[in-house]
Amino acid sequence: MRQDMKQLFAYFDSELPGVNSFLDTETAKLDGLVREVSRHVLLGPGKRIRPVMTICTARTLGFDGDVMPLACSLEMLHSATLIHDDILDDATLRRGRPAAHVSFGTTQSVLAGDVLLALANRLGAQYDIPRVNLLLAEGIMATAEGEILEMAGLDEPVVDRERYMRVIIGKTARLIETACRCGAAVATPDRELEDVAGAYGLNLGIAFQLVDDALDYVSPSDTMGKPEGGDLREGKVTLPLIHLFEDIGEDEAAKLLADIRNHELDEAGQQRVLDMVREGDYANRTRETAARYIDEAKAALNGLPDCLERKVLSQAADFVLSRKK
Amino acid sequence: MRQDMKQLFAYFDSELPGVNSFLDTETAKLDGLVREVSRHVLLGPGKRIRPVMTICTARTLGFDGDVMPLACSLEMLHSATLIHDDILDDATLRRGRPAAHVSFGTTQSVLAGDVLLALANRLGAQYDIPRVNLLLAEGIMATAEGEILEMAGLDEPVVDRERYMRVIIGKTARLIETACRCGAAVATPDRELEDVAGAYGLNLGIAFQLVDDALDYVSPSDTMGKPEGGDLREGKVTLPLIHLFEDIGEDEAAKLLADIRNHELDEAGQQRVLDMVREGDYANRTRETAARYIDEAKAALNGLPDCLERKVLSQAADFVLSRKK
């Protein structure tokens, strides 16, 4: 265990059983058809970042009630969007296992996603704090809009770093921001404190996705659950590839982009691109971008009271940046 | 115009422009990919029963604020479930027009449903009344559970009138109940009044679906948007058919049920069933069952203050029962 992240790992160790047990209990109550899909996705391997973020922000701001239903509602929202996104993307794998719609069918997966969205809203509503439900609704909205933006971008002739950022903010960062804002909202009506928690979450979320996209170009398949260069193979353009495009010039970039999107790169062609990304050190440059967002996230934490949970949030930021898988 | 429903029609005439204009404005703000799907479904022909129920119950209980966002959130929830259900059922037609997923693809339809669910929750959250969001969440949950129950029933060897009731309550009645409960909740914290409004909505919703299922066996294709006996052709077992099963005896019913479910009835076989349903007057018997729920709905109205909107709610109940298409 890394000494500088001691509190982080201890915190996850102490909170995860509660998170997992709550998710277990809630999904066990669901009707047969969607119960198995929900449990497949929710009880499978997952980092549980969102619920722990909610727990930490709530406690940092002095909430001493039962935060677990709210924390788990964030994991449910996240899982619901994963289930639906996998149908959209026609993905076959999710976290190294068959995607839900592959194992259980599109029908069950659409329904399971809907039920988890509703369940999350219901759990949130039980806190009797209207702001919480507004945040959950806006989180779902932003996540769907990110997905929409990504799909619309597939028809665009050029890669656009600004659009890439908008997509990862929508698809990933907003819901992590929501997790932090919800933790704050349940603890205090002070909107400025919620904004501070939100700024931490948003920046952490952006960095998280940037690192994920960087790892896709370096991680061996046995640790990540997906093969190296999976994004490239799927025709998905992320920051490491955008760096490459920027360096090889407009014409060549346009040609390469078209080949990637039309899945016209053969194995050797893909390997050539992977080699170029490695030679250009583009994955590390992506990580450097992530580092700037991590700095922002940690700076935001200064606006929260100093306590164990704030340390955990700070170490979580370091962990996001340093993770190797 | 039928004189005994004068206020009802006048009320719809006065409120529908506001409902349609709100839905138009809100869906116009959505992102391109889902905007067209949402508008196709939300701005197409529709009875707008749910939003008008919300408007009426809110005003009956003295709410004088802007009820339109809440009312329209109910129509959005309804549309979202229609869009997703059509994917599940692999339906080709909806209200006489191609189903959204046929015109726009599964991808856009899953997303459009999610966005409408989120938008509805957001609109509801803006009222700052936690109860409203709890009701919306439970309404979505019940609707999904009704769909689940229906799909699970496809594997059951017998038809079950009790299960049929649970399915139509879940799939249809609960959301109409939710529309009425939301109208009450926005007007008053009095839970007993909300229960009265809910009882009206639940019974109205059950009757609505019963009449719908009756009409499927009598309506000519040009008024209903779907061909007569469409449910039979789709292998969907509703009350008129359950009446037939009950009358022809267990063995023959089991055989017929299997044929219907396995789509093994040819055109002549289907016509024979339609004839038997007509001869047994089973559609009318279904309508008689609906009449009992309409009585319950109207009885519930006695618990609300007497006013124009209560008259409209009462006439709406009569209309649901008497409608011919």
Side-chain angles (χ1 to χ4, degrees):
Chain A
M1 185 190 295
R2 293 179 50 178
Q3 282 307 308
D4 54 347
M5 292 182 188
K6 211 166 73 176
Q7 281 110 333
L8 173 71
F9 294 124
Y11 207 83
F12 267 78
D13 281 348
S14 69
E15 296 299 331
L16 253 46
V19 170
N20 291 329
S21 138
F22 187 91
L23 293 173
D24 190 354
T25 307
E26 285 296 312
T27 53
K29 292 181 207 159
L30 297 175
D31 282 308
L33 196 69
V34 304
R35 185 175 53 233
E36 295 314 309
V37 190
S38 307
R39 292 174 68 84
H40 172 86
V41 178
L42 263 175
L43 305 183
K47 304 179 191 73
R48 309 282 188 230
I49 292 167
R50 292 155 195 82
V52 175
M53 292 297 106
T54 304
I55 296 170
C56 279
T57 46
R59 293 204 185 135
T60 297
L61 291 168
F63 183 69
D64 59 2
D66 182 11
V67 71
M68 206 50 92
L70 182 62
C72 289
S73 79
L74 269 300
E75 189 71 7
M76 288 176 184
L77 287 191
H78 173 55
S79 287
T81 62
L82 290 187
I83 294 173
H84 281 181
D85 281 3
D86 281 348
I87 299 171
L88 310 181
D89 300 341
D90 206 12
T92 50
L93 285 180
R94 166 64 67 182
R95 293 170 176 163
R97 305 190 308 158
H101 70 112
V102 174
S103 299
F104 300 95
T106 299
T107 294
Q108 282 84 335
S109 299
V110 170
L111 271 176
D114 289 355
V115 167
L116 289 179
L117 287 177
L119 191 52
N121 279 312
R122 192 169 71 181
L123 290 170
Q126 284 164 3
Y127 284 85
D128 254 17
I129 301 171
R131 177 81 188 152
V132 166
N133 274 89
L134 188 60
L135 289 169
L136 293 178
E138 289 184 342
I140 304 169
M141 196 84 187
T143 307
E145 283 169 354
E147 181 76 24
I148 291 165
L149 196 65
E150 181 174 49
M151 303 199 75
L154 298 177
D155 299 325
E156 299 288 326
V158 287
V159 223
D160 184 330
R161 196 195 280 220
E162 185 257 337
R163 177 188 283 264
Y164 164 79
M165 288 305 297
R166 280 166 61 210
V167 168
I168 68 169
I169 287 172
K171 280 193 68 172
T172 305
R174 285 286 176 212
L175 202 55
I176 296 179
E177 178 187 352
T178 301
C180 295
R181 281 187 180 271
C182 280
V186 86
T188 171
D190 186 328
R191 197 63 63 86
E192 279 178 35
L193 285 173
E194 187 201 296
D195 287 343
V196 168
Y200 166 81
L202 177 65
N203 284 291
L204 183 83
I206 295 171
F208 178 81
Q209 190 58 52
L210 285 166
V211 170
D212 218 47
D213 291 344
L215 282 169
D216 191 74
Y217 280 90
V218 291
S219 164
S221 58
D222 58 337
T223 59
M224 187 67 181
K226 41 182 179 177
E228 180 191 355
D231 287 343
L232 175 65
R233 262 175 272 271
E234 288 172 18
K236 209 171 140 191
V237 177
T238 60
L239 193 52
L241 206 52
I242 295 176
H243 280 308
L244 171 63
F245 289 150
E246 287 169 352
D247 281 3
I248 60 178
E250 221 167 280
D251 290 352
E252 214 177 322
K255 201 183 153 304
L256 182 56
L257 174 62
D259 284 350
I260 291 170
R261 282 204 179 136
N262 302 327
H263 300 279
E264 280 170 4
L265 280 188
D266 57 13
E267 196 59 42
Q270 283 172 0
Q271 196 52 56
R272 214 160 44 238
V273 174
L274 292 178
D275 290 345
M276 285 193 287
V277 170
R278 187 162 36 246
E279 280 155 26
D281 210 23
Y282 300 126
N284 272 331
R285 274 169 63 183
T286 300
R287 229 181 238 280
E288 283 161 19
T289 306
R292 291 201 295 275
Y293 287 96
I294 289 298
D295 287 344
E296 290 287 323
K298 291 171 77 171
L301 289 179
N302 292 328
L304 300 180
D306 193 7
C307 61
L308 167 65
E309 279 80 9
R310 198 181 83 168
K311 281 190 188 67
V312 172
L313 290 172
S314 176
Q315 291 175 12
D318 290 330
F319 178 76
V320 159
L321 188 62
S322 66
R323 76 197 171 96
K324 297 278 180 264
K325 60 173 185 166
Chain B
M1 187 192 293
R2 294 180 49 176
Q3 282 308 308
D4 56 342
M5 291 183 189
K6 214 167 71 176
Q7 281 112 332
L8 173 70
F9 294 124
Y11 207 83
F12 268 78
D13 280 350
S14 69
E15 296 299 332
L16 253 46
V19 171
N20 291 330
S21 138
F22 188 91
L23 293 173
D24 189 355
T25 308
E26 285 297 312
T27 53
K29 292 180 207 158
L30 297 176
D31 282 308
L33 194 68
V34 303
R35 187 174 52 233
E36 296 314 309
V37 191
S38 307
R39 292 173 68 84
H40 172 85
V41 178
L42 264 175
L43 305 184
K47 305 180 189 71
R48 309 285 188 230
I49 292 167
R50 293 156 194 82
V52 175
M53 292 297 105
T54 305
I55 295 170
C56 279
T57 46
R59 293 204 185 134
T60 296
L61 291 168
F63 182 69
D64 60 0
D66 183 10
V67 70
M68 206 50 92
L70 181 62
C72 289
S73 79
L74 269 299
E75 189 70 8
M76 288 176 184
L77 287 192
H78 174 55
S79 287
T81 61
L82 290 187
I83 295 173
H84 282 181
D85 281 4
D86 281 349
I87 299 171
L88 310 182
D89 300 340
D90 205 11
T92 50
L93 285 180
R94 166 64 67 182
R95 293 169 179 164
R97 306 190 308 157
H101 70 112
V102 174
S103 299
F104 299 96
T106 299
T107 295
Q108 281 83 338
S109 299
V110 171
L111 271 175
D114 290 355
V115 167
L116 289 179
L117 287 177
L119 192 50
N121 279 313
R122 193 169 70 181
L123 290 170
Q126 283 165 3
Y127 284 85
D128 255 17
I129 301 172
R131 177 80 187 152
V132 166
N133 274 88
L134 189 59
L135 288 169
L136 294 177
E138 289 183 343
I140 305 168
M141 198 83 187
T143 308
E145 282 168 354
E147 180 77 22
I148 292 164
L149 196 64
E150 182 174 48
M151 305 199 74
L154 298 177
D155 299 326
E156 299 289 325
V158 286
V159 224
D160 185 329
R161 198 196 280 221
E162 185 258 336
R163 178 188 282 264
Y164 164 79
M165 289 306 298
R166 280 166 62 210
V167 167
I168 69 170
I169 287 172
K171 280 193 70 173
T172 304
R174 284 285 176 214
L175 202 56
I176 295 180
E177 177 188 353
T178 302
C180 295
R181 281 188 180 274
C182 280
V186 84
T188 171
D190 186 329
R191 196 63 63 85
E192 279 179 34
L193 286 173
E194 187 201 297
D195 286 344
V196 168
Y200 166 81
L202 177 65
N203 285 290
L204 183 84
I206 293 170
F208 178 83
Q209 189 58 50
L210 285 167
V211 171
D212 218 49
D213 290 344
L215 282 168
D216 191 74
Y217 280 90
V218 290
S219 166
S221 58
D222 57 339
T223 59
M224 188 68 182
K226 40 182 179 175
E228 181 193 354
D231 287 345
L232 176 65
R233 262 175 272 272
E234 288 171 19
K236 211 171 137 186
V237 177
T238 60
L239 193 53
L241 205 53
I242 295 175
H243 280 309
L244 172 63
F245 288 151
E246 287 169 353
D247 281 2
I248 60 179
E250 219 169 282
D251 290 352
E252 213 177 320
K255 201 184 153 303
L256 182 56
L257 174 62
D259 284 349
I260 290 170
R261 281 203 180 136
N262 301 327
H263 300 279
E264 279 169 5
L265 282 188
D266 57 13
E267 196 61 40
Q270 283 171 2
Q271 195 52 55
R272 215 162 39 239
V273 174
L274 292 178
D275 290 345
M276 284 193 286
V277 169
R278 188 164 32 245
E279 282 156 24
D281 211 24
Y282 299 127
N284 273 331
R285 276 169 64 182
T286 300
R287 230 181 237 280
E288 283 160 19
T289 307
R292 291 200 294 276
Y293 287 98
I294 288 298
D295 287 344
E296 290 286 324
K298 289 171 78 171
L301 289 180
N302 292 327
L304 299 180
D306 192 9
C307 60
L308 167 66
E309 279 80 8
R310 197 182 81 168
K311 283 190 188 64
V312 172
L313 291 172
S314 176
Q315 293 176 11
D318 291 330
F319 179 76
V320 159
L321 189 60
S322 67
R323 75 196 173 98
K324 298 279 181 261
K325 60 172 186 169

